[in-house]
Amino acid sequence: MEVDKEEVKSFNELGIIDALVEACETLGWKNPSKIQAEAIPHALEGKDLIGLAQTGSGKTGAFALPILQALLKNERRVPFFACVLSPTRELAIQIAEQFEALGSGIGVRCAVLVGGVDMVQQTLALGKRPDIVVGTPGRLVDHLSNTKGFSLRTLKYLVLDEADRLLNEDFEKSLNEILDVIPRERRTYLFSATMTQKVRKLQRACLRNPVKIEASSKYSTVDTLKQQYCFVPAMYKDCYLVYILTEMSGCTSMVFTRTCDSTRFLALVLRNLGLRSIPISGQMSQSKRLGALNKFKAGECNILICTDVASRGLDIPSVDMVINYDIPTNSKDYIHRVGRTARAGRSGVAISLINQYEVEWYLQIEKLIGKELPEFPSREVEVLLLLERVTEAKRISQMKIKESGLKRRNGRGDDGNDEEVERHLGIEGKKKFKKSRK
């Protein structure tokens, strides 16, 4: 069934029933997104789906609406009707929230099974026999093995969200165990930002004659995203970060780092400089991660310092700017990071800080997205006016971390290198970078 996105005026025209259309309107979904317009009619026909769509495209609605409609039409309402698997806790919680919001008028019950939360609480939630189970593979296997009376024998729908990440070695064993114990007679929806060899292998293993929907080009960033780079000497990286955040003050920003320790350290430095920042990383407890996310969503803090744990799936609609403080070593991660801004038709800015040691990684990113990005305008003289304040803020932050007994990495410019040598490397690195792009 072909659906022309331009002709679709409402969810009604896709075959969605009135009760769910009203729920969409309550959430502010006036018209279907491209992935929704293309996926929903096939899903309502009972087909298995492979959906390839860039982050922020409305994937959750594309699989939640058909599942909820099937649940409503099911005469004998059975528990554990659908299971959605996600690679991260935050994404699982967010998916469950969307199911509950869309199904609020029909009394949909959800259970979230993720690590970092007391298993007893989750067991009690499963005891209420929910319609939808959303979880991470490892914790779902824990419950299938240890929670008395819980099984997925009645499962009608399985969704693998961010399937390319679910297929890495961390999840592969758990995923195989789940696939072994769920009914073969079911509908399966596989959603992924990228089509890797492992995703193809999974497609062959657990989908039946699926319809493939590609709502975006293979690796792309949206047209409303303004992307720039800023070449910085490694020793002045923190000064450039503060400079950009100050220049773009008032923006809601996400700053991506490579390590969990960096998120804590940078958040402290920025707070010492009077900027409202908060860290989020995989090392934090679930309650602290959710607390940080909620503060950011509520606007209490306008700068979220994060690792790649926050690069996919989190729907934070008001992000104005993404800064790559550390260039990702895997260029595909760049797509996911910058996808946190310019969502659902809004505009946004992405700025990547490149030092002399990261040029190769950055050139791979430009090759992947198929274009050379313009330079963020900055004057080193102005940036270095911040040096004294930033150095002092770093010193105070290091003392605080030492006092609190937290393990830290010493890699913020205080590595014993001679300042003039570092400065020279930065200047030479910039020249080589410019030359490599000609």
Side-chain angles (χ1 to χ4, degrees):
M1 180 177 178
E2 293 298 318
V3 176
D4 185 343
K5 172 72 169 64
E6 295 303 317
E7 291 177 5
V8 174
K9 306 297 180 192
S10 69
F11 286 96
N12 278 119
E13 294 182 56
L14 297 180
I16 297 296
I17 58 174
D18 291 341
L20 293 175
V21 171
E22 285 174 23
C24 291
E25 287 170 358
T26 304
L27 287 178
W29 299 2
K30 293 176 184 174
N31 297 303
S33 68
K34 187 176 181 187
I35 189 72
Q36 290 165 356
E38 295 190 15
I40 287 171
H42 293 298
L44 294 178
E45 286 179 352
K47 305 276 181 62
D48 282 6
L49 298 179
I50 298 170
L52 299 180
Q54 60 200 18
T55 185
S57 60
K59 286 183 292 180
T60 307
F63 61 74
L65 287 167
I67 288 172
L68 290 171
Q69 185 145 318
L71 181 66
L72 265 176
K73 290 185 174 181
N74 199 37
E75 291 177 11
R76 192 172 65 85
R77 193 148 157 177
V78 295
F80 312 120
F81 186 76
C83 175
V84 184
L85 294 176
S86 133
T88 68
R89 305 167 185 180
E90 288 78 14
L91 179 54
I93 291 162
Q94 184 178 290
I95 290 167
E97 285 172 352
Q98 286 218 341
F99 264 103
E100 285 171 347
L102 287 168
S104 58
I106 57 173
V108 166
R109 299 183 305 275
C110 291
V112 181
L113 308 181
V114 295
V117 178
D118 182 28
M119 277 202 50
V120 176
Q121 288 178 15
Q122 294 175 354
T123 301
L124 291 172
L126 289 173
K128 293 176 183 173
R129 301 173 74 72
D131 305 298
I132 316 289
V133 174
V134 187
T136 49
R139 181 51 65 96
L140 181 62
V141 167
D142 288 344
H143 281 287
L144 286 168
S145 306
N146 304 312
T147 300
K148 193 175 178 183
F150 171 57
S151 81
L152 293 175
R153 285 193 297 269
T154 56
L155 190 76
K156 303 296 181 192
Y157 286 84
L158 174 69
V159 181
L160 303 171
D161 197 15
E162 304 288 5
D164 46 340
R165 282 184 76 191
L166 281 173
L167 292 168
N168 69 28
E169 57 194 31
D170 297 336
F171 300 115
E172 200 164 3
K173 183 174 179 290
S174 299
L175 196 56
N176 287 336
E177 288 180 41
I178 293 163
L179 292 172
D180 282 344
V181 298
I182 60 174
R184 291 185 181 278
E185 288 299 318
R186 64 170 195 271
R187 296 274 68 82
T188 306
Y189 302 154
L190 187 154
F191 283 84
S192 178
T194 55
M195 191 68 177
T196 63
Q197 284 302 114
K198 285 189 173 182
V199 173
R200 285 193 184 91
K201 186 178 174 185
L202 181 67
Q203 167 198 333
R204 290 194 294 272
C206 72
L207 279 79
R208 295 184 179 184
N209 301 318
V211 176
K212 184 179 175 185
I213 294 143
E214 194 161 359
S216 64
S217 56
K218 193 176 180 187
Y219 301 114
S220 67
T221 51
V222 295
D223 295 335
T224 52
L225 175 66
K226 182 182 180 183
Q227 301 173 80
Q228 297 171 302
Y229 75 89
C230 186
F231 197 97
V232 306
M235 65 182 298
Y236 297 141
K237 197 187 229 186
D238 298 308
C239 287
Y240 274 88
L241 175 65
V242 174
Y243 174 79
I244 291 168
L245 289 169
T246 307
E247 285 288 296
M248 309 288 280
S249 63
C251 284
T252 306
S253 306
M254 292 179 78
V255 178
F256 282 96
T257 71
R258 201 167 291 129
T259 68
C260 297
D261 291 338
S262 298
T263 62
R264 273 197 304 268
F265 181 75
L266 273 183
L268 270 176
V269 171
L270 295 178
R271 282 205 294 265
N272 286 332
L273 290 164
L275 296 167
R276 292 178 296 129
S277 63
I278 194 162
I280 183 170
S281 73
Q283 283 184 356
M284 293 164 67
S285 70
Q286 183 62 15
S287 59
K288 283 189 176 176
R289 279 159 74 171
L290 283 176
L293 206 54
N294 289 335
K295 280 185 179 178
F296 184 63
K297 281 184 175 181
E300 288 177 47
C301 300
N302 69 326
I303 302 166
L304 187 69
I305 315 288
C306 46
T307 55
D308 282 311
V309 75
S311 69
R312 289 166 74 168
L314 300 187
D315 186 20
I316 308 168
S318 58
V319 175
D320 304 311
M321 177 168 65
V322 166
I323 297 176
N324 286 302
Y325 176 85
D326 290 322
I327 294 291
T329 52
N330 182 343
S331 46
K332 290 175 194 172
D333 289 335
Y334 173 86
I335 305 288
H336 304 305
R337 287 182 180 187
V338 301
R340 298 299 91 217
T341 186
R343 294 168 77 79
R346 286 180 289 268
S347 59
V349 177
I351 301 169
S352 297
L353 303 182
I354 319 164
N355 65 36
Q356 60 267 34
Y357 310 113
E358 298 171 329
V359 170
E360 283 304 313
W361 292 332
Y362 179 74
L363 291 174
Q364 285 300 314
I365 288 167
E366 287 195 332
K367 186 178 176 185
L368 184 76
I369 62 176
K371 56 185 168 186
E372 289 186 1
L373 302 180
E375 188 169 4
F376 176 82
S378 65
R379 292 183 62 224
E380 192 175 87
V381 178
E382 290 177 14
V383 175
L384 294 186
L385 292 174
L386 297 163
L387 184 58
E388 192 175 330
R389 285 180 60 217
V390 171
T391 303
E392 179 63 10
K394 286 166 70 176
R395 187 187 66 79
I396 294 167
S397 301
Q398 283 165 344
M399 279 173 56
K400 282 183 181 174
I401 287 175
K402 199 171 183 180
E403 284 167 13
S404 64
L406 293 172
K407 184 183 175 184
R408 65 181 177 87
R409 292 176 190 267
N410 185 11
R412 299 287 164 225
D414 181 24
D415 54 4
N417 284 333
D418 177 75
E419 187 168 320
E420 281 306 310
V421 172
E422 272 289 299
R423 184 176 169 78
H424 177 72
L425 280 169
I427 293 166
E428 288 303 306
K430 188 167 186 174
K431 285 178 184 172
K432 285 180 183 175
F433 173 68
K434 296 272 191 185
K435 200 173 179 182
S436 71
R437 301 179 82 211
K438 286 178 180 174

